[in-house]
Amino acid sequence: MKTPSGLQALIDDGIIDRVVRPLKSGKEAAVYVVGAGDDIRCAKVYKDMAQRSFQQRIQYQEGRKVRGSREARAIGKATKYGRKQQEAAWKNTEVDALYQLMEAGVRVPKPYGYFHGVLVMELVTDAEGYSAPRLGEVELSAQTAREYHAFLMEQVVRMLLVGLIHGDLSPYNVLVGEDGPVIIDLPQVVSASGNNAARAMLQRDVNNLTAFLGRFAPELFDTWYAEEIWALFEAGELHADSELSGHFEHDESEIDLDGVRDAINDAREEALIRQQGREAAEEADY
């Protein structure tokens, strides 16, 4: 295939030696299967910020550290320089998060480096060696759904223990690799301690997964993992090996239980709508 302009510099520098095929394309980036000698990897080419929504990212960036005071002021004022710095920070966030989460034992694609604005990382494959499908694209047995849910709750915990929340976790940001779920797409990762919406985003992440996996194991709809995890986190009692039950005693004077459950159902519908949008975007790009 013709080499995309964003990947030519990597070929020129010998980081990769060929582009095999497009893998997926969305609003934020286009991903390609690439070759580096005998290794097959993937390369994530971030799209120009003019093609993406600047305002929608503000809620995710609250609490993130900025390298210098000049950059922080420029970003805060949304100047041209500030937007450029924010764009760079947006891309670097995913790279930094991948390395940090891999070190923490979270199952994410292994990063190989960030070159010329392109993230090169492991190509996640299924048992047959094909590109792994997204969780939202597979049918599961009730037992497998329960196992995946338990595993993903463990991953959410491990992320939280290093101060991070995915912020956009759904069945379409999880790949089903040969050894099980792999979490992807992290440019919007949220600071757990520095973002005022952290708790709500954690709940949304967990509800998105529960809404999908509950289709195969309906008893998951009666669990409250997000609330349990956050309560342990706030109390300083959350650990990588914490045994989660999914049970949580609510203060019914402060919480609308029916509203929370409705939010889970809404998350399921939103996930389906978003997938339809992704598919339409991919068809338009190709």
Side-chain angles (χ1 to χ4, degrees), residues 136-192:
E137 299 169 338
V138 300
E139 293 292 320
L140 303 170
S141 68
Q143 180 59 30
T144 299
R146 286 190 288 268
E147 291 173 357
Y148 282 6
H149 190 273
F151 176 79
L152 288 167
M153 292 306 101
E154 177 188 327
Q155 303 302 289
V156 168
V157 167
R158 288 181 180 273
M159 291 183 69
L160 193 54
L161 288 174
V162 293
L164 299 177
I165 296 169
H166 188 286
D168 193 30
L169 193 56
S170 79
Y172 301 100
N173 286 330
V174 177
L175 299 179
V176 182
E178 180 176 5
D179 297 321
V182 179
I183 294 173
I184 62 170
D185 291 341
L186 293 152
Q188 71 297 309
V189 69
V190 172
S191 168

Side-chain angles (χ1 to χ4, degrees), residues 142 145-146 210 213-223:
R146 286 190 288 268
T210 300
L213 293 170
R215 293 168 50 191
F216 309 102
E219 68 273 15
L220 293 175
F221 287 127
D222 295 320
T223 60

Side-chain angles (χ1 to χ4, degrees), residues 33 61 87 107 150 180 210 225 235 251:
V33 178
Q61 294 169 331
E87 179 71 5
R107 191 176 291 171
T210 300
Y225 283 97
D251 182 346

